[in-house]
Amino acid sequence: MIYFDNSATTKIDDSVLKTYLKVSEEIMGNPSSLHGLGDASTGLLQQARKQIAELLNTSMEEIYFTSGGTEGDNWAVKGTAIEKRKFGKHLITTAIEHPAVKESMEQLKMLGFDITYLPVNKEGVVSVKALKKELRSDTTLVSIMAVNNEIGSIQPLEEIGEVLKAYPKVHFHVDAVQAIGKIPLDLSTHSRIDIATFSGHKFHAPRGTGFMYLKKGKKLAPLLNGGGQESGKRSGTENVAGITAMSKALRLVVTDSKEKQSRQLEIKEYLMDKLASYAKVTLFSTKEGAPHILCFALRGIRGEVMVHAFEKKGIYISTTSACSSRSKTSGSTLSAMHVPENIATSAVRVSLNDTNTIEEAQQFIKEFDGLYRQFRDIH
């Protein structure tokens, strides 16, 4: 099996799974309990929080555990809107955000908030100039993803941060789900990023785990109310085993990350060069984008047909986004890039991780060549 669908989810690392099972078996206490079993759970939570903070160059007080990227994005968007509604109801995002952000924005729109969607260019990159033009006195949030999940375009976060330094009351949220371990991400005290959301299953941790970075001093209304866990900001009994395993997975993914990224980029560039030689192939990703995502289309063949054709060869890829692939519609990113519908519906995504090899890429091209000839003969 060749697994090239890592942007949808990654295989849990063997050592991470062992950590998850060990904690599940040996640490049974609720962290909110006052007895020794509760203390043991609390100790593990704090140890995981400390490790994540150190890996991301932040403080423990700025790390909050969630169930993943969707919850984190919902919390960042809605929590900001609720917390800062008395200062204004204007929110800015992009036309290529993950549905967790876009649909949160649309829900707020129904509640009377004013939403601005920034356009992107043909490479799927937002214009800093356009953002600057749209900022208003009643703007309370700018939410822009670090790496696009469909084509891998990298957004100019530093330049955006420079613009937002003149707007200190505006929360700057970054969906960093596809960025961790793939591109440099500065969350230190001098960074303009106020909120960043992460999902564990994108970096070999268990599903249902995630965390949020919330800069010290920034306020965010709770999305979940109840027992007051996570300093009263995110209620719900903590997933101690999952969180402990996630912190280990994060340590593993950021260790030697430059070398891992270099290997993935080598594979991506090999695939891009080979695919570009086929007359009916359109490439949507660029070599300047994230090293692990390659989006392309074989014109005239729907994306889901390609996915199943590769599956029969033991190779797993996806259409542009796992979260919307079953709807059989073109990805929102390609639509925002003004890719014609008949081409966009043919798009598929290859997404890599640090365990993929150049030999797997060579096998992929071999199978693609056979499929290309087969589809050409049929048509």
Side-chain angles (χ1 to χ4, degrees):
M1 182 184 76
I2 297 175
Y3 186 71
F4 278 171
D5 194 19
N6 292 281
S7 287
T9 195
T10 56
K11 180 181 181 294
I12 187 170
D13 182 89
D14 289 342
S15 65
V16 172
L17 179 58
K18 288 179 181 177
T19 296
Y20 178 84
L21 293 174
K22 181 178 177 64
V23 175
S24 296
E25 291 172 351
E26 298 180 5
I27 308 297
M28 62 171 290
N30 186 321
S32 297
S33 297
L34 297 178
H35 49 62
L37 296 178
D39 290 341
S41 290
T42 299
L44 282 180
L45 281 182
Q46 294 304 85
Q47 182 179 331
R49 200 185 310 275
K50 180 181 180 182
Q51 178 163 277
I52 291 172
E54 290 175 348
L55 291 169
L56 297 182
N57 195 23
T58 67
S59 67
M60 290 177 60
E61 295 77 16
E62 295 174 312
I63 301 299
Y64 297 87
F65 298 122
T66 69
S67 63
T70 294
E71 182 193 335
D73 285 345
N74 272 259
W75 185 14
V77 173
K78 297 173 186 176
T80 296
I82 294 170
E83 182 67 36
K84 301 176 76 69
R85 65 191 184 280
K86 62 183 178 181
F87 301 109
K89 291 190 174 184
H90 180 229
L91 315 176
I92 299 176
T93 189
T94 77
I96 62 167
E97 295 301 307
H98 189 277
V101 169
K102 292 183 75 174
E103 292 184 18
S104 292
M105 293 285 185
E106 286 300 301
Q107 188 176 26
L108 290 169
K109 188 176 182 179
M110 292 189 296
L111 297 174
F113 286 82
D114 185 10
I115 313 299
T116 294
Y117 291 99
L118 299 174
V120 294
N121 63 18
K122 62 181 181 179
E123 282 82 35
V125 178
V126 71
S127 165
V128 179
K129 186 176 180 180
L131 168 64
K132 194 171 183 179
K133 184 179 178 181
E134 295 293 345
L135 285 162
R136 307 183 332 208
S137 60
D138 62 336
T139 304
T140 59
L141 173 70
V142 171
S143 178
I144 297 178
M145 62 184 1
V147 174
N148 178 261
N149 56 300
E150 295 183 33
I151 67 165
S153 56
I154 300 173
Q155 302 309 316
L157 300 183
E158 288 190 18
E159 292 90 336
I160 292 169
E162 285 299 316
V163 170
L164 292 178
K165 284 181 179 178
Y167 299 84
K169 294 182 180 179
V170 174
H171 276 179
F172 181 23
H173 165 239
V174 172
D175 176 340
V177 168
Q178 294 292 344
I180 192 70
K182 306 297 184 181
I183 65 169
L185 188 67
D186 182 15
L187 297 180
S188 60
T189 54
H190 65 270
S191 170
R192 181 57 182 85
I193 297 173
D194 298 313
I195 312 167
T197 46
F198 302 85
S199 180
H201 77 104
K202 305 297 187 180
F203 54 87
H204 306 291
R207 296 174 192 176
T209 62
F211 65 94
M212 171 187 281
Y213 160 77
L214 177 62
K215 183 181 288 184
K216 195 178 301 181
K218 299 297 179 179
K219 294 182 179 180
L220 199 62
L223 190 64
L224 301 176
N225 297 293
Q229 290 85 351
E230 295 300 291
S231 302
K233 288 183 170 62
R234 195 272 186 185
S235 293
T237 301
E238 300 92 340
N239 177 4
V240 179
I243 290 168
T244 305
M246 177 178 64
S247 70
K248 181 171 185 175
L250 183 64
R251 176 173 58 81
L252 294 175
V253 79
V254 300
T255 300
D256 301 324
S257 60
K258 288 185 178 180
E259 290 81 357
K260 293 172 183 175
Q261 292 162 24
S262 178
R263 289 197 299 270
Q264 290 171 71
L265 183 59
E266 179 186 1
I267 296 172
K268 174 187 170 181
E269 290 182 342
Y270 168 83
L271 291 171
M272 290 185 71
D273 291 341
K274 292 294 184 180
L275 290 169
S277 67
Y278 292 89
K280 290 191 174 183
V281 168
T282 298
L283 294 172
F284 303 114
S285 300
T286 67
K287 291 183 179 180
E288 292 72 35
H292 66 302
I293 296 178
L294 167 57
C295 183
F296 71 95
L298 175 54
R299 298 189 299 278
I301 307 298
R302 290 188 65 90
E304 65 267 21
V305 174
M306 284 288 289
V307 169
H308 293 306
F310 271 110
E311 183 180 8
K312 290 178 181 178
K313 304 292 184 179
I315 300 174
Y316 293 84
I317 62 174
S318 70
T319 50
T320 50
S321 175
C323 294
S324 58
S325 61
R326 292 188 180 274
S327 64
K328 298 183 180 181
T329 58
S330 62
S332 61
T333 299
L334 299 182
S335 297
M337 292 164 58
H338 303 292
V339 175
E341 182 74 9
N342 63 318
I343 297 178
T345 52
S346 295
V348 292
R349 180 186 66 185
V350 170
S351 49
L352 311 169
N353 70 22
D354 53 317
T355 65
N356 291 128
T357 64
I358 195 70
E359 289 77 19
E360 290 178 327
Q362 292 167 346
Q363 183 65 26
F364 176 89
I365 292 298
K366 179 182 177 181
E367 299 296 351
F368 175 80
D369 186 74
L371 292 172
Y372 186 89
R373 296 172 187 275
Q374 177 185 334
F375 289 134
R376 182 189 61 189
D377 294 342
I378 291 174
H379 286 276

